[in-house]
Amino acid sequence: MALPQALENYRKQYRKIKLFQDVASVLHWDSEVMMPEEGREYRSAQIAAVAELTHDWMTDPSFLKQIQSAKESIGELPESERSLWNRELEVLMEEKEKADKLPSEFVSEFAKVTNLAHAEWAEAKKAKNFQAFAKRLEELVQLSKKQADYFGYTTEPYDALLDSYEKGAKANQIQSLFSDLKKSLVPIVATAPKFKNPFPGPISIDKQTKFCNRLPSLLGLTTKESRLDTSNHPFSTSLGKGDKRITTRYSETDPLSSIFGVLHETGHSLYESGLSAMSNWPTPITEFLSLGIHESQSRLWENQVGRSLPFWEFVYPILLSDFGLTDKELPFKELYQYINSTEKTKVRVEADQVTYNLHIILRFEIERDLINGKIQVKDLPEIWNTKMKESFGLTIDNDAEGVLQDIHWSMGAFGYFPTYTLGNIFSSQFFKKFTDEFPDSHNKFSTKGDFSDLLGWLRKNIHSKGKIYDVDTLMNQTTGESADSKYLISYLNGKIKEVT
């Protein structure tokens, strides 16, 4: 039967908002990948204008009337369809109520400042000089505190920002989870083996690019719907249906940096591609569920697949050919051990899968205190360096390898970091369930490079669910239990035994 007109009208307005949000994504992608340096200031104004426009549409009283009319007309539908429509409008109202709390001028200012901040962060990182970014970062912190006040909170400002990435999450709950996880990780780090870089010499960017360009299609993301480029910080973004963008960065001395960057970002784009394939896309429930779930998809393909023996048994001959190496120059065993080596490093994106979560815990603790007013921006380098010494026993030599290494604060993305470790927890649990259901999957991985069973499982159980359920319900429906870090610890312990 045809949809009631009120439902058609509401979706038409929602899809206009979504179209312009995707236009903003195009502007952001271009500013990080293609835009000439002198275009930054005007581009920030363009992004701010689109952000303000979509915010105004979302908060317009006439849109609320459309939503209310749509909700009233749900009763005209068959009973079997009403539950999903109610959930769709429930999710939208949650998003709208949050948007209603932010004045348009604040949304515009935040979008403009974060776009300008990225360029200043990149220059400060290049110069290894925190002071060149400190003033802008202070502005971002104040804007983020203001945003938290607009959203409202019960216990602490950081909760309001955390909720934007992981709905319902509270900082004290995250702190408890991370504290228990850290206790389990410390002994693993102490016993985990370290292996040296086996590459016989520098590998040119051209050779790495050739190999990296193969990876998205291998995992299931075709070149017809995606492209790979280079940026200062690897990222992925969806520009709309059939258009997923991935970036990575290259190191001639350690090609694994670019390879795992591509695997990680491909995981994000596969999730977005799956969401785009949902019925009636785009609607409020065809969006990603949470950043933790989003990160679970990238970390699963990066670690559980990308660091597995079956994956490398298949791609090893291809890598040798693309890199112009022989198996004597790059022995398989030495390469695989290095891929799964554990070593305390200064830079998060180059961290191994064991110590990575310690990097996240460090950032969570710092940004929580920063937003809650317990520490000041001017003291960040000293605080960062002290925590690195305490947690890793490492001395930071300059700000680029210390407090300036991550892009997130220049984006105003306070509350984002914890989702990486939540993603690691979720991904281990998802992959364990998948392998229980597909015990022969490793043979398809190693002999054919066939990952279709895994992608199909993710499409069915996670991608096609969008925001229909909350995180805990999705975890229970997919794995039979709530999220539990024991699967991550079990995976890491098993990986260490495998390469020792």
Side-chain angles (χ1 to χ4, degrees):
M1 62 174 286
L3 284 178
Q5 191 60 48
L7 295 178
E8 292 278 13
N9 291 342
Y10 136 71
R11 275 192 172 171
K12 182 178 180 181
Q13 179 65 9
Y14 175 81
R15 285 168 175 168
K16 183 174 79 169
I17 295 171
K18 174 65 175 173
L19 278 170
F20 276 78
Q21 288 173 337
D22 287 340
V23 168
S25 295
V26 175
L27 294 173
H28 277 292
W29 174 85
D30 180 74
S31 68
E32 304 306 323
V33 177
M34 305 292 289
M35 187 186 72
E37 186 177 344
E38 292 297 318
R40 177 68 60 178
E41 186 170 352
Y42 190 66
R43 175 58 53 82
S44 67
Q46 293 173 322
I47 289 173
V50 176
E52 184 174 1
L53 182 64
T54 55
H55 182 267
D56 287 347
W57 287 339
M58 177 66 80
T59 58
D60 192 309
S62 66
F63 188 39
L64 177 59
K65 290 180 181 179
Q66 285 184 320
I67 297 170
Q68 290 170 338
S69 295
K71 191 167 183 64
E72 290 169 2
S73 70
I74 289 177
E76 302 173 30
L77 297 171
E79 188 171 351
S80 60
E81 298 179 20
R82 294 174 191 172
S83 176
L84 202 57
W85 270 101
N86 278 320
R87 176 58 178 165
E88 178 175 324
L89 294 176
E90 177 188 13
V91 169
L92 177 63
M93 281 306 299
E94 290 173 355
E95 183 181 345
K96 178 171 168 47
E97 287 169 2
K98 202 154 194 171
D100 286 341
K101 294 177 180 180
L102 300 178
S104 292
E105 58 271 19
F106 174 83
V107 172
S108 176
E109 181 185 11
F110 194 86
K112 183 175 182 178
V113 170
T114 51
N115 192 256
L116 290 171
H118 172 77
E120 294 174 12
W121 162 78
E123 287 300 313
K125 181 179 179 182
K126 186 177 179 180
K128 304 177 182 179
N129 179 15
F130 176 75
Q131 291 308 314
F133 182 58
K135 184 177 179 181
R136 184 67 76 184
L137 181 57
E138 177 61 40
E139 183 179 11
L140 287 168
V141 170
Q142 294 307 317
L143 282 173
S144 297
K145 289 181 178 180
K146 197 172 182 179
Q147 186 180 57
D149 288 338
Y150 282 133
F151 286 150
Y153 51 89
T154 302
T155 306
E156 58 183 273
Y158 188 74
D159 280 347
L161 304 182
L162 182 61
D163 185 77
S164 295
Y165 301 102
E166 200 69 24
K167 183 173 174 56
K170 302 296 182 185
N172 59 354
Q173 297 170 338
I174 297 291
Q175 180 66 54
S176 177
L177 175 66
F178 284 5
S179 179
D180 291 341
L181 182 60
K182 189 173 183 178
K183 290 176 184 177
S184 298
L185 287 173
V186 169
I188 296 177
V189 173
T191 59
K194 171 186 173 183
F195 300 98
K196 67 178 183 178
N197 185 331
F199 289 94
I203 305 297
S204 72
I205 292 176
D206 285 344
K207 290 179 178 179
Q208 292 185 52
T209 300
K210 182 178 181 181
F211 180 74
C212 284
N213 272 316
R214 299 179 187 274
L215 298 177
S217 294
L218 178 64
L219 303 188
L221 187 71
T222 70
T223 54
K224 289 185 177 181
E225 63 176 327
S226 68
R227 60 174 288 139
L228 173 63
D229 292 280
T230 306
S231 64
N232 285 328
H233 191 98
F235 73 95
S236 64
T237 188
S238 174
L239 305 187
K241 197 176 186 72
D243 191 352
K244 314 305 174 188
R245 306 296 174 95
I246 305 167
T247 73
T248 194
R249 64 183 181 193
Y250 296 90
S251 165
E252 291 190 341
T253 58
D254 191 359
L256 295 187
S257 178
S258 62
I259 292 170
F260 285 103
V262 172
L263 293 173
H264 181 98
E265 303 307 338
T266 296
H268 279 307
S269 285
L270 284 170
Y271 184 26
E272 289 290 343
S273 178
L275 293 169
S276 297
M278 288 181 68
S279 177
N280 295 313
W281 182 95
T283 72
I285 57 174
T286 62
E287 299 293 313
F288 68 87
L289 178 55
S290 77
L291 256 296
I293 295 297
H294 222 312
E295 289 300 332
S296 78
Q297 301 307 285
S298 58
R299 300 298 286 177
L300 186 151
W301 288 102
E302 176 188 358
N303 291 331
Q304 275 79 12
V305 174
R307 297 182 191 274
S308 71
L309 185 61
F311 177 83
W312 283 98
E313 284 175 337
F314 181 77
V315 301
Y316 174 64
I318 303 172
L319 180 138
L320 290 180
S321 177
D322 287 348
F323 285 7
L325 298 174
T326 66
D327 57 358
K328 291 183 179 180
E329 292 174 303
L330 184 64
F332 180 83
K333 181 179 179 180
E334 293 180 16
L335 173 62
Y336 187 65
Q337 286 178 324
Y338 182 59
I339 287 166
N340 289 286
S341 180
T342 299
E343 180 180 5
K344 295 177 181 179
T345 58
K346 300 175 184 180
V347 180
R348 174 186 63 88
V349 296
E350 296 171 2
D352 60 83
Q353 56 191 333
V354 178
T355 61
Y356 184 92
N357 296 293
L358 297 177
H359 283 271
I360 297 304
I361 292 170
L362 179 149
R363 286 154 176 76
F364 162 70
E365 292 172 349
I366 290 177
E367 68 175 20
R368 183 187 185 190
D369 285 346
L370 188 62
I371 296 300
N372 291 343
K374 294 183 178 180
I375 59 177
Q376 304 301 313
V377 167
K378 64 181 177 64
D379 300 320
L380 283 179
E382 181 181 352
I383 293 169
W384 185 286
N385 297 353
T386 298
K387 282 183 173 289
M388 283 297 296
K389 188 72 174 177
E390 292 172 352
S391 296
F392 295 89
L394 299 175
T395 300
I396 300 299
D397 295 322
N398 60 71
D399 292 334
E401 65 181 26
V403 70
L404 284 176
Q405 66 179 266
D406 292 304
I407 193 175
H408 301 66
W409 292 344
S410 75
M411 298 161 53
F414 296 95
Y416 190 125
F417 278 121
T419 66
Y420 285 110
T421 287
L422 291 176
N424 283 332
I425 292 171
F426 298 156
S427 69
S428 299
Q429 198 161 336
F430 286 144
F431 196 71
K432 176 63 167 61
K433 184 64 174 178
F434 164 73
T435 53
D436 286 347
E437 294 182 15
F438 290 82
D440 193 47
S441 59
H442 61 283
N443 287 327
K444 287 188 176 181
F445 291 179
S446 62
T447 60
K448 301 178 182 178
D450 182 355
F451 302 94
S452 59
D453 285 343
L454 175 56
L455 182 57
W457 188 90
L458 295 172
R459 290 274 195 257
K460 175 185 175 183
N461 292 289
I462 299 166
H463 302 179
S464 65
K465 305 302 184 188
K467 282 189 171 182
I468 296 174
Y469 309 108
D470 60 27
V471 172
D472 190 55
T473 301
L474 180 72
M475 292 299 298
N476 274 281
Q477 284 194 352
T478 305
T479 70
E481 57 186 315
S482 296
D484 195 327
S485 61
K486 69 182 181 183
Y487 293 100
L488 173 59
I489 298 303
S490 175
Y491 163 74
L492 293 175
N493 276 318
K495 182 60 67 175
I496 289 168
K497 290 178 181 177
E498 181 185 14
V499 296
T500 301

